[in-house]
Amino acid sequence: GAQDMALLHLPRLLRRLSPQPLHAASAAAACRARSLSAMVPKLRLTYLDMKGFGEPIRLALAIGGLDFEDRRVSSEEIIAMRQRGELAFGQVPVLEIDGEAFSQSQALLRWAGRQAGLYPEELQLRCDAVEEALVDIRRGFIPQWYGVILGRDPITSEKLVPLSEEQKQEVEQKLNESVLPARFSYLEKQLKAAGGPYFCGERLTICDLSFYVLASGVLDGTYVDGITPSVLDGCPLLKELIGRIAHHPRVKAWNDRAAQGSA
């Protein structure tokens, strides 16, 4: 009866439960490795040898454990790339994904954030609001960076509509005394309202990385000339955030490698 049927199927059951031969298991593992490798895109990020608009993208990729080629180019190389038609919008950064080039720093940062788990859908609106506030701050730096009103010509890189020395001094004074303290105070309030430790609450997102690159550069004078660290004096929570991100294990590891490379 039932016992006889069980005995009849026993050899088949034992074959199913017995371990695979070593060569078969190795072949299956190799197949899985090939499939996983095919899913991981080959990445190359091209930007100047500076932090600027490229560093938040580098940090997002590094935190996400995404391998990428960190290609650093000179201003002269960018002009040559533009002349060869390699820059879709005439500027860097450029991220190549499996050989296909994509541009615009905010788009690239959001893509990197999604891959790294730093731009979750439920937090995108809050994150984007902080990102846009940082865009406003960077836009105000254009006269300070270039000494002009309109930045650079998108084809020739010529500086457009130069400021007089008197106007440059006035711009620097306004940025230090009113514009930047006010804009950072808005961000301080956003961070406090979120309950911390990050702009979107408990979760680190790309806007924290953008802020970190900009604000840490303001404090140490590497992001823009002529701006004093005192513009952040009324923002203790923002200063804490800078330190918190600097001590993130993967951010620290990235910064340590960068310091060794420049030594």
Side-chain angles (χ1 to χ4, degrees):
Q3 188 174 9
D4 293 337
M5 289 298 293
L7 290 172
L8 181 64
H9 291 295
L10 184 59
R12 186 185 306 170
L13 178 62
L14 290 174
R15 285 198 301 273
R16 187 182 302 170
L17 294 177
S18 64
Q20 291 182 339
L22 183 59
H23 68 276
S26 298
C31 182
R32 285 194 298 271
R34 284 194 298 271
S35 298
L36 183 61
S37 176
M39 293 171 60
V40 177
K42 183 179 180 181
L43 306 176
R44 181 168 80 159
L45 181 65
T46 299
Y47 190 62
L48 293 157
D49 189 16
M50 60 183 294
K51 293 183 177 181
F53 294 90
E55 191 73 358
I57 304 168
R58 294 174 184 139
L59 289 177
L61 294 173
I63 290 172
L66 298 163
D67 289 333
F68 69 101
E69 179 186 345
D70 184 21
R71 181 189 181 200
R72 312 263 177 142
V73 295
S74 66
S75 298
E76 291 73 23
E77 287 174 295
I78 292 173
I79 294 173
M81 292 169 67
R82 185 184 299 132
Q83 291 172 344
R84 293 193 298 266
E86 297 175 6
L87 302 177
F89 297 98
Q91 57 195 7
V92 290
V94 169
L95 180 65
E96 293 169 67
I97 305 174
D98 288 333
E100 185 176 359
F102 298 88
S103 300
Q104 297 296 67
S105 59
Q106 289 293 296
L108 302 184
L109 179 59
R110 288 180 171 92
W111 182 88
R114 280 191 289 270
Q115 307 311 304
L118 298 170
Y119 189 52
E121 184 174 357
E122 69 273 16
L123 298 178
Q124 286 177 4
L125 189 57
R126 291 182 183 275
C127 183
D128 285 348
V130 174
E131 277 292 337
E132 291 299 324
L134 294 168
V135 167
D136 289 341
I137 291 175
R138 286 192 291 266
R139 188 179 296 118
F141 285 157
I142 289 176
Q144 198 69 11
W145 277 327
Y146 303 115
V148 299
I149 295 175
L150 286 180
R152 292 182 180 273
D153 185 283
I155 296 176
T156 66
S157 293
E158 175 190 1
K159 294 179 181 179
L160 299 174
V161 192
L163 297 168
S164 67
E165 288 303 316
E166 183 179 348
Q167 288 173 321
K168 291 177 185 177
Q169 292 175 10
E170 186 176 0
V171 166
E172 187 170 305
Q173 180 181 355
K174 293 294 185 184
L175 285 172
N176 279 307
E177 294 181 1
S178 59
V179 174
L180 292 176
R183 292 208 180 276
F184 283 125
S185 73
Y186 294 150
L187 289 171
E188 175 86 357
K189 292 174 184 176
Q190 288 295 313
L191 181 56
K192 183 176 182 179
Y198 303 109
F199 279 115
C200 293
E202 293 293 327
R203 190 158 178 178
L204 176 71
T205 63
I206 55 173
C207 69
D208 298 296
L209 301 181
S210 291
F211 167 77
Y212 165 73
V213 171
L214 187 155
S216 62
V218 166
L219 289 180
D220 66 19
T222 59
Y223 198 83
V224 56
D225 291 334
I227 302 303
T228 65
S230 63
V231 296
L232 279 155
D233 277 355
C235 304
L237 296 180
L238 293 184
K239 288 185 175 181
E240 288 178 13
L241 178 58
I242 295 169
R244 186 174 299 117
I245 296 173
H247 286 91
H248 185 288
R250 291 194 174 178
V251 173
K252 187 177 185 305
W254 176 263
N255 289 338
D256 288 345
R257 284 197 300 271
Q260 291 169 4
S262 62

